[in-house]
Amino acid sequence: MNKKTISPFFFNSFPKSGTHLMFQILTGIHSVRFDQNLHLYEGVSRQLAEHQRELEKLRINEFLSGHIYYSTAWAKLLQNLNMKQIFLYRDLRDVVVSYNYYIEKINAPLHQYFKQKQLSKKERMLSIIRGIPELGHQDIHDWFSEFKGWLTTPNVLSVKFEDLLRSEESLDRSVQKIVQFVTEDKKENIDHTVIRRAKENISTQDSATFRKGTIGNWKEEFDEEIIIAFKEKAGQLLIELGYEKNLLW
């Protein structure tokens, strides 16, 4: 089983959805590896040829990661390369909280803008939710909508970040699906030592950007005004993604 070969694949995620946690799970599967210094962004048409070249460089037991918008062109690219994709996403309310803390400590695109404007934590979160038109930064609904098409694309395994943290049983089920997806083993033939190793490879201490990794942290951070703003922009999207049954939260 140690000599198992895995076809190259692509790992895609919506920003601040637990990317480094998934890195740890994936690199715990057999001898799977990736280039930590290479991460693809956006996937707009002008980048397609460059991204194709990078994907074509992948060899057995390798994957490439990125935050890539859905497009028929990118989906066709993966199809032509016969390459699978794992897509990771998260409750967008917790994304807002995580992204806010990330921008605060990392020199990300919005860091200088927020610093110059001297925005409070609440004002920063409202900006992330509502968007910043002067910078071309979309609101939270439109931002996720750039990725949403992957949820219904064939040969894509969609994973909720919460399913990796909800419980030990939920983590087991999710890791089994991931292992089965990348190894192409049938469920009855899966090597459960591989699942155990993938889980044992998880260490939140090794990630510079993994803050708390909790579920529902937005409840501690959102006040009524922020909740109303989020419902206006992406309340229905939360229902569509299965995070809420209605707007009464």
Side-chain angles (χ1 to χ4, degrees):
M1 178 59 72
N2 289 332
K3 295 182 179 180
K4 175 80 178 182
T5 59
I6 295 173
S7 298
F9 63 94
F10 183 64
F11 164 48
N12 195 11
S13 60
F14 187 69
K16 310 316 299 172
S17 291
T19 303
H20 287 84
L21 178 61
M22 184 64 82
F23 283 162
Q24 293 168 350
I25 292 171
L26 294 175
T27 53
I29 301 173
H30 298 296
S31 55
V32 170
R33 58 193 179 274
F34 74 109
D35 183 349
Q36 298 186 49
N37 298 313
L38 180 60
H39 196 72
L40 305 185
Y41 291 92
E42 295 183 332
V44 295
S45 57
R46 67 177 181 276
Q47 300 169 316
L48 203 62
E50 175 192 348
H51 289 177
Q52 179 172 343
R53 286 193 295 271
E54 295 298 341
L55 290 168
E56 288 175 341
K57 292 178 185 176
L58 291 176
R59 297 295 177 257
I60 292 297
N61 290 1
E62 290 183 343
F63 72 90
L64 187 57
S65 64
H67 299 315
I68 294 293
Y69 299 158
Y70 172 80
S71 69
T72 53
W74 233 90
K76 187 174 182 180
L77 171 59
L78 291 177
Q79 182 181 8
N80 290 342
L81 293 173
N82 195 28
M83 191 172 290
K84 294 182 174 184
Q85 178 187 169
I86 294 173
F87 176 61
L88 180 67
Y89 64 107
R90 183 184 192 181
D91 187 325
L92 296 175
R93 294 165 294 191
D94 282 332
V95 167
V96 169
V97 173
S98 180
Y99 192 40
N100 177 54
Y101 280 104
Y102 173 75
I103 292 168
E104 188 177 31
K105 68 178 182 177
I106 302 291
N107 193 18
L110 293 181
H111 178 84
Q112 290 301 324
Y113 175 83
F114 285 165
K115 188 175 180 179
Q116 290 168 2
K117 294 286 187 179
Q118 296 183 319
L119 301 183
S120 66
K121 180 171 70 171
K122 175 177 177 176
E123 289 170 332
R124 294 195 304 267
M125 287 193 288
L126 285 170
S127 295
I128 294 168
I129 292 168
R130 293 170 173 162
I132 309 172
E134 63 191 275
L135 297 182
H137 199 286
Q138 297 166 299
D139 65 51
I140 190 67
H141 174 278
D142 290 353
W143 189 19
F144 185 81
S145 294
E146 298 280 11
F147 294 81
K148 193 169 68 171
W150 293 121
L151 295 174
T152 54
T153 300
N155 225 24
V156 175
L157 175 66
S158 294
V159 179
K160 283 185 175 181
F161 172 77
E162 292 78 12
D163 289 341
L164 303 175
L165 293 181
R166 197 179 311 280
S167 66
E168 194 68 24
E169 293 74 20
S170 180
L171 175 61
D172 282 343
R173 288 193 299 270
S174 297
V175 173
Q176 179 168 318
K177 287 178 183 178
I178 293 164
V179 170
Q180 190 176 341
F181 185 72
V182 299
T183 62
E184 300 182 345
D185 287 337
K186 294 186 182 300
K187 187 174 182 179
E188 59 271 19
N189 296 331
I190 211 121
D191 184 348
H192 288 271
T193 61
V194 178
I195 297 173
R196 176 173 54 80
R197 288 172 189 156
K199 288 172 58 184
E200 289 174 349
N201 205 45
I202 296 172
S203 171
T204 58
Q205 302 301 315
D206 294 336
S207 172
T209 58
F210 192 98
R211 193 176 61 86
K212 292 178 68 176
T214 52
I215 299 172
N217 193 39
W218 64 270
K219 296 174 184 177
E220 302 172 15
E221 304 280 351
F222 282 19
D223 64 11
E224 191 61 30
E225 184 181 356
I226 298 175
I227 288 173
I228 290 171
F230 194 98
K231 287 180 180 180
E232 288 176 350
K233 288 295 181 181
Q236 289 297 329
L237 181 56
L238 279 185
I239 296 171
E240 184 181 339
L241 295 175
Y243 286 102
E244 294 290 349
K245 294 182 179 179
N246 51 49
L247 295 176
L248 303 176
W249 49 270

